[in-house]
């Protein structure tokens, strides 16, 4: 099938062959026309458009349209899409009572997946996955409400009043405003912050069959509604081996800064296989020459740090670490470069986003990709419920032992 794989589904049906592939490293779960990725060459394209072009010429909302509908919008399509999102930015007033019930120190990813799942209780008019109009309104609701739900989770953790969405602002401006404005103090959104956030959302918007996207497809394949499927995807993204890596990277930079900024010590530690320590934010399973997303946001990261001149030792540590690791034979030989999580963690820090919110922002960025994959799966007539097989390794048949004899 194509240049890269063999379609063995027919062979499997004939022979009852089961392939065992831990972690699905070489198993294609689907055909997809959404995102192309070549890890050796560092290529990432959404619907055929190189990520570099999209980052240069589009904003996040246009990119979302492209992923979901397959084409870049013209001016009127873009305006209709933006207006549709603006119409749905508020969340039902009754949903605010959820936030009263969550503990103040609840992780915002837990809040996000719970409240997104609960959208299915408030919007029962759009739960039929086989009705295109219901799916359409659900996707607008999700794109519009996710930033509001996310910002409220931050406000809850701060003990501050929630800020209603301001529909005169763009998607990213509105999110930053809901995060950082208070009724007592307005927050003037810096256009450079908006640019950086747009870039981050664009580079995170899709990455083919990653863990959370596969989860969304898996749940959706049972004909579960879009809210339930996306809520499950948020749960998958939360894990430190997936969306949680940028949080781990900034925690590591903080540790190095507190330890006097001795970068060489940590580079040496990462080379020593005995202690199991790795430099967070370096290396990638698929990208073996460079991570094209990291290349794009590195420039944004430099620009932001040069402008803000923040007095935070973490930024100096990040710059030194990048410099030292990139010149080290160990990292050169193994093709270990800073990945997207390295720079995204640093940018979020510079924007004043608290660490626990990093993965929440990743979820906002990844949402259009999840929706696009869910729809592609639903609209494909050959989709069947995802139901992997297993190789059974337990006991063979045993005689039942009554309770009194055990
Ligand atoms: N620090 C030190 N050594 C490393 C690192 C690292 N960050 N990453 C890989 N290596 C070494 C390995 O020890 C191995 O060395 P060896 O050949 O001497 O045994 C070699 O490089 C190859 O590593 P693998 O583990 O085989 O690479 P794999 O592709 O399986 O792992 C991964 C990729 C998980 C991303 C890894 O590089 C890593 O753990 N990085 C740190 C965590 C991180 O930043 N994750 C975010 C990824 S980006 C994203 O998820 C959006």
């Amino acid at each position: 099938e194509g240049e890269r794989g063999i379609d063995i589904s027919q062979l499997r049906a004939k022979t009852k062959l089961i392939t065992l592939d831990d972690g699905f490293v070489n198993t294609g779960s689907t055909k997809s026309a959404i995102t192309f990725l070549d890890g050796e060459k560092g290529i990432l394209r959404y619907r055929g458009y190189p990520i570099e072009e999209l980052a240069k010429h589009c904003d996040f909302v246009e990119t979302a349209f492209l992923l979901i509908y397959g084409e870049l919008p013209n001016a009127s399509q873009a305006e209709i899409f933006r207006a549709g999102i603006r119409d749905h930015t508020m969340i039902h007033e009754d949903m605010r009572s959820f936030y009263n019930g969550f503990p103040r120190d609840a992780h915002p990813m837990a809040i996000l997946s719970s409240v997104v799942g609960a959208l299915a209780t408030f919007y029962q008019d759009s739960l039929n996955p086989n009705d295109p109009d219901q799916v359409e309104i659900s996707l607008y609701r999700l794109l519009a409400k996710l930033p509001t739900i996310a910002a409220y989770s931050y406000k809850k953790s701060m003990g501050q009043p929630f800020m209603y969405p301001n529909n005169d602002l763009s998607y990213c401006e509105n999110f930053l405003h809901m995060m950082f404005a208070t009724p007592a103090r307005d927050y003037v959104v810096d256009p450079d912050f908006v640019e950086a956030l747009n870039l981050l959302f664009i580079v995170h918007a899709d990455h083919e069959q990653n863990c959370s996207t596969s989860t969304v497809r898996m749940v959706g394949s049972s004909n579960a509604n879009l809210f339930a499927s996306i809520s499950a995807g948020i749960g998958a993204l939360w894990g430190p081996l997936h969306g949680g890596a940028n949080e781990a990277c900034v925690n590591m930079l903080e540790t190095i800064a507190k330890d006097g900024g001795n970068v060489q010590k940590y580079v040496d530690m990462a080379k020593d296989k005995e202690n199991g320590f790795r430099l967070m934010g370096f290396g990638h399973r698929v990208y073996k020459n460079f991570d094209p997303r990291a290349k794009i946001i590195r420039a944004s990261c430099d620009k932001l740090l040069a402008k803000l001149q923040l007095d935070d030792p973490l930024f100096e540590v990040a710059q030194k670490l990048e410099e030292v690791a990139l010149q080290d034979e160990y990292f050169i030989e193994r093709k270990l470069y800073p990945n997207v999580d390295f720079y995204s963690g640093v940018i979020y820090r510079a924007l004043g986003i608290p660490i626990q919110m990093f993965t929440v922002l990743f979820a906002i960025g990844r949402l259009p990709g999840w929706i696009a994959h869910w729809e592609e799966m639903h609209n494909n007539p050959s989709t069947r419920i995802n139901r992997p097989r297993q190789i059974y390794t337990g006991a063979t048949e045993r005689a039942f032992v009554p309770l009194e004899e055990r």
Side-chain angles (χ1 to χ4, degrees), residues 241-242 245 270 273 277-285 288 291 293 330-331 334 336 339-341 362:
L241 297 185
H242 188 13
K273 297 290 154 74
F277 173 77
R278 285 187 170 196
L279 281 190
M280 289 291 118
F282 282 79
H284 195 273
R285 167 57 63 82
K288 293 300 177 194
D291 180 341
R293 303 166 301 171
Y330 172 96
F331 286 86
R334 289 168 181 76
L336 301 170
N339 57 46
V340 68
D341 286 322
F362 193 158

PDB file of all heavy atoms in Angstrom, residues 241-242 245 270 273 277-285 288 291 293 330-331 334 336 339-341 362, ligand 1:
ATOM      1  N   LEU A 241       4.295  11.333  29.276  1.00  0.00           N
ATOM      2  CA  LEU A 241       4.986  10.833  28.086  1.00  0.00           C
ATOM      3  C   LEU A 241       4.412  11.444  26.812  1.00  0.00           C
ATOM      4  O   LEU A 241       4.910  11.212  25.725  1.00  0.00           O
ATOM      5  CB  LEU A 241       4.861   9.303  27.992  1.00  0.00           C
ATOM      6  CG  LEU A 241       5.506   8.527  29.135  1.00  0.00           C
ATOM      7  CD1 LEU A 241       5.433   7.028  28.870  1.00  0.00           C
ATOM      8  CD2 LEU A 241       6.962   8.943  29.326  1.00  0.00           C
ATOM      9  N   HIS A 242       3.346  12.194  26.977  1.00  0.00           N
ATOM     10  CA  HIS A 242       2.719  12.800  25.784  1.00  0.00           C
ATOM     11  C   HIS A 242       2.707  14.314  25.998  1.00  0.00           C
ATOM     12  O   HIS A 242       3.757  14.944  25.989  1.00  0.00           O
ATOM     13  CB  HIS A 242       1.314  12.182  25.635  1.00  0.00           C
ATOM     14  CG  HIS A 242       0.588  12.533  24.382  1.00  0.00           C
ATOM     15  ND1 HIS A 242       1.183  13.119  23.300  1.00  0.00           N
ATOM     16  CD2 HIS A 242      -0.728  12.356  24.012  1.00  0.00           C
ATOM     17  CE1 HIS A 242       0.291  13.306  22.337  1.00  0.00           C
ATOM     18  NE2 HIS A 242      -0.878  12.853  22.752  1.00  0.00           N
ATOM     19  N   ALA A 245       5.121  16.591  28.591  1.00  0.00           N
ATOM     20  CA  ALA A 245       6.591  16.690  28.542  1.00  0.00           C
ATOM     21  C   ALA A 245       7.103  18.132  28.696  1.00  0.00           C
ATOM     22  O   ALA A 245       8.185  18.347  29.261  1.00  0.00           O
ATOM     23  CB  ALA A 245       7.123  16.086  27.245  1.00  0.00           C
ATOM     24  N   ALA A 270      23.070  13.223  31.875  1.00  0.00           N
ATOM     25  CA  ALA A 270      22.200  12.640  30.844  1.00  0.00           C
ATOM     26  C   ALA A 270      22.955  11.618  29.995  1.00  0.00           C
ATOM     27  O   ALA A 270      22.349  10.715  29.413  1.00  0.00           O
ATOM     28  CB  ALA A 270      21.636  13.746  29.953  1.00  0.00           C
ATOM     29  N   LYS A 273      24.325   6.375  31.539  1.00  0.00           N
ATOM     30  CA  LYS A 273      23.128   5.534  31.440  1.00  0.00           C
ATOM     31  C   LYS A 273      22.706   4.943  32.787  1.00  0.00           C
ATOM     32  O   LYS A 273      21.591   4.461  32.934  1.00  0.00           O
ATOM     33  CB  LYS A 273      23.355   4.392  30.442  1.00  0.00           C
ATOM     34  CG  LYS A 273      23.604   4.861  29.026  1.00  0.00           C
ATOM     35  CD  LYS A 273      22.317   5.434  28.453  1.00  0.00           C
ATOM     36  CE  LYS A 273      22.542   6.458  27.374  1.00  0.00           C
ATOM     37  NZ  LYS A 273      22.971   5.980  26.106  1.00  0.00           N
ATOM     38  N   PHE A 277      18.727   9.402  34.038  1.00  0.00           N
ATOM     39  CA  PHE A 277      18.324  10.794  33.802  1.00  0.00           C
ATOM     40  C   PHE A 277      18.448  11.145  32.325  1.00  0.00           C
ATOM     41  O   PHE A 277      19.432  10.809  31.662  1.00  0.00           O
ATOM     42  CB  PHE A 277      19.207  11.732  34.641  1.00  0.00           C
ATOM     43  CG  PHE A 277      18.984  13.190  34.348  1.00  0.00           C
ATOM     44  CD1 PHE A 277      17.864  13.847  34.842  1.00  0.00           C
ATOM     45  CD2 PHE A 277      19.888  13.912  33.562  1.00  0.00           C
ATOM     46  CE1 PHE A 277      17.647  15.187  34.557  1.00  0.00           C
ATOM     47  CE2 PHE A 277      19.681  15.254  33.282  1.00  0.00           C
ATOM     48  CZ  PHE A 277      18.559  15.887  33.785  1.00  0.00           C
ATOM     49  N   ARG A 278      17.459  11.823  31.787  1.00  0.00           N
ATOM     50  CA  ARG A 278      17.518  12.299  30.406  1.00  0.00           C
ATOM     51  C   ARG A 278      17.278  13.796  30.372  1.00  0.00           C
ATOM     52  O   ARG A 278      16.565  14.317  31.224  1.00  0.00           O
ATOM     53  CB  ARG A 278      16.429  11.632  29.566  1.00  0.00           C
ATOM     54  CG  ARG A 278      16.759  10.210  29.235  1.00  0.00           C
ATOM     55  CD  ARG A 278      15.768   9.624  28.267  1.00  0.00           C
ATOM     56  NE  ARG A 278      16.278   8.338  27.797  1.00  0.00           N
ATOM     57  CZ  ARG A 278      15.835   7.703  26.737  1.00  0.00           C
ATOM     58  NH1 ARG A 278      14.871   8.222  26.025  1.00  0.00           N
ATOM     59  NH2 ARG A 278      16.356   6.553  26.392  1.00  0.00           N
ATOM     60  N   LEU A 279      17.844  14.445  29.392  1.00  0.00           N
ATOM     61  CA  LEU A 279      17.553  15.869  29.240  1.00  0.00           C
ATOM     62  C   LEU A 279      16.151  15.991  28.662  1.00  0.00           C
ATOM     63  O   LEU A 279      15.901  15.568  27.527  1.00  0.00           O
ATOM     64  CB  LEU A 279      18.540  16.530  28.276  1.00  0.00           C
ATOM     65  CG  LEU A 279      19.920  16.898  28.785  1.00  0.00           C
ATOM     66  CD1 LEU A 279      20.631  17.752  27.745  1.00  0.00           C
ATOM     67  CD2 LEU A 279      19.884  17.614  30.129  1.00  0.00           C
ATOM     68  N   MET A 280      15.237  16.534  29.447  1.00  0.00           N
ATOM     69  CA  MET A 280      13.864  16.722  28.971  1.00  0.00           C
ATOM     70  C   MET A 280      13.871  17.779  27.867  1.00  0.00           C
ATOM     71  O   MET A 280      14.599  18.778  27.957  1.00  0.00           O
ATOM     72  CB  MET A 280      12.962  17.191  30.115  1.00  0.00           C
ATOM     73  CG  MET A 280      12.690  16.119  31.139  1.00  0.00           C
ATOM     74  SD  MET A 280      11.641  14.831  30.426  1.00  0.00           S
ATOM     75  CE  MET A 280      12.687  13.447  30.519  1.00  0.00           C
ATOM     76  N   GLY A 281      13.055  17.545  26.850  1.00  0.00           N
ATOM     77  CA  GLY A 281      13.012  18.510  25.746  1.00  0.00           C
ATOM     78  C   GLY A 281      14.064  18.239  24.678  1.00  0.00           C
ATOM     79  O   GLY A 281      14.228  19.038  23.758  1.00  0.00           O
ATOM     80  N   PHE A 282      14.763  17.096  24.779  1.00  0.00           N
ATOM     81  CA  PHE A 282      15.728  16.704  23.744  1.00  0.00           C
ATOM     82  C   PHE A 282      15.362  15.335  23.193  1.00  0.00           C
ATOM     83  O   PHE A 282      15.001  14.440  23.946  1.00  0.00           O
ATOM     84  CB  PHE A 282      17.154  16.647  24.315  1.00  0.00           C
ATOM     85  CG  PHE A 282      17.775  18.006  24.469  1.00  0.00           C
ATOM     86  CD1 PHE A 282      17.433  18.804  25.544  1.00  0.00           C
ATOM     87  CD2 PHE A 282      18.670  18.497  23.530  1.00  0.00           C
ATOM     88  CE1 PHE A 282      17.973  20.068  25.690  1.00  0.00           C
ATOM     89  CE2 PHE A 282      19.223  19.761  23.661  1.00  0.00           C
ATOM     90  CZ  PHE A 282      18.876  20.559  24.749  1.00  0.00           C
ATOM     91  N   GLY A 283      15.496  15.178  21.861  1.00  0.00           N
ATOM     92  CA  GLY A 283      15.213  13.897  21.224  1.00  0.00           C
ATOM     93  C   GLY A 283      13.759  13.783  20.824  1.00  0.00           C
ATOM     94  O   GLY A 283      12.890  14.515  21.333  1.00  0.00           O
ATOM     95  N   HIS A 284      13.485  12.883  19.886  1.00  0.00           N
ATOM     96  CA  HIS A 284      12.103  12.640  19.461  1.00  0.00           C
ATOM     97  C   HIS A 284      12.010  11.266  18.823  1.00  0.00           C
ATOM     98  O   HIS A 284      12.936  10.840  18.139  1.00  0.00           O
ATOM     99  CB  HIS A 284      11.640  13.721  18.461  1.00  0.00           C
ATOM    100  CG  HIS A 284      10.162  13.740  18.276  1.00  0.00           C
ATOM    101  ND1 HIS A 284       9.518  12.943  17.359  1.00  0.00           N
ATOM    102  CD2 HIS A 284       9.194  14.446  18.919  1.00  0.00           C
ATOM    103  CE1 HIS A 284       8.220  13.159  17.443  1.00  0.00           C
ATOM    104  NE2 HIS A 284       7.992  14.060  18.368  1.00  0.00           N
ATOM    105  N   ARG A 285      10.911  10.572  19.046  1.00  0.00           N
ATOM    106  CA  ARG A 285      10.729   9.239  18.479  1.00  0.00           C
ATOM    107  C   ARG A 285      10.726   9.257  16.952  1.00  0.00           C
ATOM    108  O   ARG A 285      11.279   8.383  16.288  1.00  0.00           O
ATOM    109  CB  ARG A 285       9.419   8.644  19.010  1.00  0.00           C
ATOM    110  CG  ARG A 285       8.914   7.395  18.305  1.00  0.00           C
ATOM    111  CD  ARG A 285       9.903   6.239  18.304  1.00  0.00           C
ATOM    112  NE  ARG A 285      10.219   5.735  19.610  1.00  0.00           N
ATOM    113  CZ  ARG A 285       9.473   4.859  20.290  1.00  0.00           C
ATOM    114  NH1 ARG A 285       8.366   4.405  19.795  1.00  0.00           N
ATOM    115  NH2 ARG A 285       9.861   4.446  21.471  1.00  0.00           N
ATOM    116  N   LYS A 288      14.294  12.563  13.575  1.00  0.00           N
ATOM    117  CA  LYS A 288      15.657  12.173  13.915  1.00  0.00           C
ATOM    118  C   LYS A 288      16.705  13.172  13.414  1.00  0.00           C
ATOM    119  O   LYS A 288      17.883  13.004  13.671  1.00  0.00           O
ATOM    120  CB  LYS A 288      15.956  10.760  13.385  1.00  0.00           C
ATOM    121  CG  LYS A 288      15.130   9.686  14.105  1.00  0.00           C
ATOM    122  CD  LYS A 288      15.392   9.654  15.618  1.00  0.00           C
ATOM    123  CE  LYS A 288      14.530   8.649  16.357  1.00  0.00           C
ATOM    124  NZ  LYS A 288      14.512   8.803  17.808  1.00  0.00           N
ATOM    125  N   ASP A 291      13.279  18.763  14.650  1.00  0.00           N
ATOM    126  CA  ASP A 291      11.829  18.828  14.823  1.00  0.00           C
ATOM    127  C   ASP A 291      11.378  20.126  14.156  1.00  0.00           C
ATOM    128  O   ASP A 291      11.716  21.212  14.626  1.00  0.00           O
ATOM    129  CB  ASP A 291      11.532  18.821  16.339  1.00  0.00           C
ATOM    130  CG  ASP A 291      10.046  18.897  16.659  1.00  0.00           C
ATOM    131  OD1 ASP A 291       9.263  19.316  15.788  1.00  0.00           O
ATOM    132  OD2 ASP A 291       9.682  18.555  17.804  1.00  0.00           O
ATOM    133  N   ARG A 293       8.747  21.724  14.087  1.00  0.00           N
ATOM    134  CA  ARG A 293       7.945  22.606  14.957  1.00  0.00           C
ATOM    135  C   ARG A 293       8.856  23.390  15.884  1.00  0.00           C
ATOM    136  O   ARG A 293       8.652  24.574  16.151  1.00  0.00           O
ATOM    137  CB  ARG A 293       6.970  21.760  15.780  1.00  0.00           C
ATOM    138  CG  ARG A 293       6.064  20.904  14.928  1.00  0.00           C
ATOM    139  CD  ARG A 293       5.366  19.836  15.740  1.00  0.00           C
ATOM    140  NE  ARG A 293       6.295  18.953  16.417  1.00  0.00           N
ATOM    141  CZ  ARG A 293       5.956  18.042  17.320  1.00  0.00           C
ATOM    142  NH1 ARG A 293       4.696  17.926  17.660  1.00  0.00           N
ATOM    143  NH2 ARG A 293       6.867  17.271  17.878  1.00  0.00           N
ATOM    144  N   TYR A 330      28.000  13.267  22.249  1.00  0.00           N
ATOM    145  CA  TYR A 330      26.950  12.301  22.592  1.00  0.00           C
ATOM    146  C   TYR A 330      25.634  12.691  21.903  1.00  0.00           C
ATOM    147  O   TYR A 330      24.964  11.869  21.283  1.00  0.00           O
ATOM    148  CB  TYR A 330      26.765  12.266  24.115  1.00  0.00           C
ATOM    149  CG  TYR A 330      25.581  11.452  24.606  1.00  0.00           C
ATOM    150  CD1 TYR A 330      25.744  10.125  25.017  1.00  0.00           C
ATOM    151  CD2 TYR A 330      24.303  12.008  24.671  1.00  0.00           C
ATOM    152  CE1 TYR A 330      24.658   9.385  25.473  1.00  0.00           C
ATOM    153  CE2 TYR A 330      23.217  11.274  25.124  1.00  0.00           C
ATOM    154  CZ  TYR A 330      23.394   9.968  25.523  1.00  0.00           C
ATOM    155  OH  TYR A 330      22.318   9.237  25.976  1.00  0.00           O
ATOM    156  N   PHE A 331      25.269  13.956  22.018  1.00  0.00           N
ATOM    157  CA  PHE A 331      23.995  14.417  21.460  1.00  0.00           C
ATOM    158  C   PHE A 331      24.055  14.494  19.930  1.00  0.00           C
ATOM    159  O   PHE A 331      23.076  14.168  19.246  1.00  0.00           O
ATOM    160  CB  PHE A 331      23.607  15.772  22.083  1.00  0.00           C
ATOM    161  CG  PHE A 331      23.138  15.622  23.495  1.00  0.00           C
ATOM    162  CD1 PHE A 331      24.047  15.606  24.553  1.00  0.00           C
ATOM    163  CD2 PHE A 331      21.792  15.444  23.788  1.00  0.00           C
ATOM    164  CE1 PHE A 331      23.621  15.423  25.861  1.00  0.00           C
ATOM    165  CE2 PHE A 331      21.352  15.258  25.088  1.00  0.00           C
ATOM    166  CZ  PHE A 331      22.276  15.244  26.138  1.00  0.00           C
ATOM    167  N   ARG A 334      23.826  10.864  18.396  1.00  0.00           N
ATOM    168  CA  ARG A 334      22.491  10.260  18.519  1.00  0.00           C
ATOM    169  C   ARG A 334      21.392  11.117  17.918  1.00  0.00           C
ATOM    170  O   ARG A 334      20.218  10.803  18.035  1.00  0.00           O
ATOM    171  CB  ARG A 334      22.185   9.983  20.001  1.00  0.00           C
ATOM    172  CG  ARG A 334      23.001   8.843  20.552  1.00  0.00           C
ATOM    173  CD  ARG A 334      22.910   8.770  22.053  1.00  0.00           C
ATOM    174  NE  ARG A 334      23.717   7.688  22.569  1.00  0.00           N
ATOM    175  CZ  ARG A 334      25.047   7.718  22.675  1.00  0.00           C
ATOM    176  NH1 ARG A 334      25.712   8.792  22.299  1.00  0.00           N
ATOM    177  NH2 ARG A 334      25.713   6.685  23.157  1.00  0.00           N
ATOM    178  N   LEU A 336      20.222  14.050  18.788  1.00  0.00           N
ATOM    179  CA  LEU A 336      19.296  14.523  19.823  1.00  0.00           C
ATOM    180  C   LEU A 336      19.277  16.055  19.799  1.00  0.00           C
ATOM    181  O   LEU A 336      20.247  16.689  20.183  1.00  0.00           O
ATOM    182  CB  LEU A 336      19.743  14.030  21.202  1.00  0.00           C
ATOM    183  CG  LEU A 336      19.833  12.509  21.378  1.00  0.00           C
ATOM    184  CD1 LEU A 336      20.502  12.147  22.691  1.00  0.00           C
ATOM    185  CD2 LEU A 336      18.442  11.887  21.311  1.00  0.00           C
ATOM    186  N   ASN A 339      13.481  19.544  21.142  1.00  0.00           N
ATOM    187  CA  ASN A 339      12.202  19.310  20.459  1.00  0.00           C
ATOM    188  C   ASN A 339      11.212  20.433  20.783  1.00  0.00           C
ATOM    189  O   ASN A 339      11.539  21.367  21.508  1.00  0.00           O
ATOM    190  CB  ASN A 339      11.654  17.922  20.834  1.00  0.00           C
ATOM    191  CG  ASN A 339      11.477  17.754  22.332  1.00  0.00           C
ATOM    192  OD1 ASN A 339      10.932  18.633  22.997  1.00  0.00           O
ATOM    193  ND2 ASN A 339      11.942  16.633  22.877  1.00  0.00           N
ATOM    194  N   VAL A 340       9.995  20.301  20.262  1.00  0.00           N
ATOM    195  CA  VAL A 340       8.999  21.369  20.405  1.00  0.00           C
ATOM    196  C   VAL A 340       8.721  21.687  21.883  1.00  0.00           C
ATOM    197  O   VAL A 340       8.465  22.823  22.253  1.00  0.00           O
ATOM    198  CB  VAL A 340       7.697  21.007  19.642  1.00  0.00           C
ATOM    199  CG1 VAL A 340       6.977  19.845  20.283  1.00  0.00           C
ATOM    200  CG2 VAL A 340       6.782  22.182  19.484  1.00  0.00           C
ATOM    201  N   ASP A 341       8.825  20.653  22.731  1.00  0.00           N
ATOM    202  CA  ASP A 341       8.516  20.875  24.151  1.00  0.00           C
ATOM    203  C   ASP A 341       9.545  21.745  24.843  1.00  0.00           C
ATOM    204  O   ASP A 341       9.248  22.412  25.830  1.00  0.00           O
ATOM    205  CB  ASP A 341       8.420  19.539  24.882  1.00  0.00           C
ATOM    206  CG  ASP A 341       7.140  18.828  24.533  1.00  0.00           C
ATOM    207  OD1 ASP A 341       6.125  19.519  24.392  1.00  0.00           O
ATOM    208  OD2 ASP A 341       7.160  17.601  24.395  1.00  0.00           O
ATOM    209  N   PHE A 362      -1.721  23.026  25.313  1.00  0.00           N
ATOM    210  CA  PHE A 362      -1.489  22.018  24.274  1.00  0.00           C
ATOM    211  C   PHE A 362      -2.849  21.476  23.801  1.00  0.00           C
ATOM    212  O   PHE A 362      -3.096  21.317  22.594  1.00  0.00           O
ATOM    213  CB  PHE A 362      -0.612  20.900  24.869  1.00  0.00           C
ATOM    214  CG  PHE A 362      -0.015  19.924  23.897  1.00  0.00           C
ATOM    215  CD1 PHE A 362       1.113  19.193  24.250  1.00  0.00           C
ATOM    216  CD2 PHE A 362      -0.558  19.695  22.641  1.00  0.00           C
ATOM    217  CE1 PHE A 362       1.693  18.266  23.388  1.00  0.00           C
ATOM    218  CE2 PHE A 362       0.007  18.773  21.759  1.00  0.00           C
ATOM    219  CZ  PHE A 362       1.117  18.055  22.142  1.00  0.00           C
TER     220      PHE A 362
HETATM  221  N1  LIG B   1      18.841  12.676  27.010  1.00  0.00           N
HETATM  222  C1  LIG B   1      19.887  11.807  26.971  1.00  0.00           C
HETATM  223  N2  LIG B   1      19.961  10.742  26.154  1.00  0.00           N
HETATM  224  C2  LIG B   1      18.930  10.536  25.324  1.00  0.00           C
HETATM  225  C3  LIG B   1      17.810  11.398  25.298  1.00  0.00           C
HETATM  226  C4  LIG B   1      17.790  12.499  26.177  1.00  0.00           C
HETATM  227  N3  LIG B   1      16.759  13.345  26.191  1.00  0.00           N
HETATM  228  N4  LIG B   1      16.932  10.946  24.379  1.00  0.00           N
HETATM  229  C5  LIG B   1      17.474   9.843  23.854  1.00  0.00           C
HETATM  230  N5  LIG B   1      18.696   9.595  24.414  1.00  0.00           N
HETATM  231  C6  LIG B   1      19.635   8.528  24.032  1.00  0.00           C
HETATM  232  C7  LIG B   1      19.172   7.169  24.522  1.00  0.00           C
HETATM  233  O1  LIG B   1      19.674   6.881  25.806  1.00  0.00           O
HETATM  234  C8  LIG B   1      19.740   6.270  23.461  1.00  0.00           C
HETATM  235  O2  LIG B   1      21.115   6.132  23.698  1.00  0.00           O
HETATM  236  P1  LIG B   1      21.909   4.763  23.299  1.00  0.00           P
HETATM  237  O3  LIG B   1      21.758   4.645  21.814  1.00  0.00           O
HETATM  238  O4  LIG B   1      23.305   5.002  23.760  1.00  0.00           O
HETATM  239  O5  LIG B   1      21.219   3.661  24.050  1.00  0.00           O
HETATM  240  C9  LIG B   1      19.594   7.082  22.171  1.00  0.00           C
HETATM  241  O6  LIG B   1      19.613   8.462  22.607  1.00  0.00           O
HETATM  242  C10 LIG B   1      18.293   6.833  21.421  1.00  0.00           C
HETATM  243  O7  LIG B   1      17.215   7.020  22.339  1.00  0.00           O
HETATM  244  P2  LIG B   1      15.832   6.239  22.290  1.00  0.00           P
HETATM  245  O8  LIG B   1      15.271   6.151  23.664  1.00  0.00           O
HETATM  246  O9  LIG B   1      15.986   4.976  21.528  1.00  0.00           O
HETATM  247  O10 LIG B   1      14.952   7.207  21.438  1.00  0.00           O
HETATM  248  P3  LIG B   1      13.395   7.118  21.304  1.00  0.00           P
HETATM  249  O11 LIG B   1      13.104   7.534  19.915  1.00  0.00           O
HETATM  250  O12 LIG B   1      12.856   5.819  21.763  1.00  0.00           O
HETATM  251  O13 LIG B   1      12.881   8.194  22.362  1.00  0.00           O
HETATM  252  C11 LIG B   1      12.184  10.240  23.332  1.00  0.00           C
HETATM  253  C12 LIG B   1      12.456   9.466  22.026  1.00  0.00           C
HETATM  254  C13 LIG B   1      11.211   9.464  24.229  1.00  0.00           C
HETATM  255  C14 LIG B   1      11.509  11.563  22.947  1.00  0.00           C
HETATM  256  C15 LIG B   1      13.523  10.484  24.044  1.00  0.00           C
HETATM  257  O14 LIG B   1      14.400  11.204  23.204  1.00  0.00           O
HETATM  258  C16 LIG B   1      13.344  11.196  25.379  1.00  0.00           C
HETATM  259  O15 LIG B   1      13.116  10.536  26.396  1.00  0.00           O
HETATM  260  N6  LIG B   1      13.446  12.565  25.396  1.00  0.00           N
HETATM  261  C17 LIG B   1      13.210  13.324  26.604  1.00  0.00           C
HETATM  262  C18 LIG B   1      11.714  13.520  26.858  1.00  0.00           C
HETATM  263  C19 LIG B   1      11.073  14.520  25.903  1.00  0.00           C
HETATM  264  O16 LIG B   1      11.577  15.600  25.655  1.00  0.00           O
HETATM  265  N7  LIG B   1       9.880  14.148  25.364  1.00  0.00           N
HETATM  266  C20 LIG B   1       9.121  15.010  24.458  1.00  0.00           C
HETATM  267  C21 LIG B   1       9.121  14.507  23.038  1.00  0.00           C
HETATM  268  S1  LIG B   1       8.343  15.666  21.928  1.00  0.00           S
HETATM  269  C22 LIG B   1       6.686  15.485  22.135  1.00  0.00           C
HETATM  270  O17 LIG B   1       6.234  14.549  22.710  1.00  0.00           O
HETATM  271  C23 LIG B   1       5.733  16.526  21.587  1.00  0.00           C
END
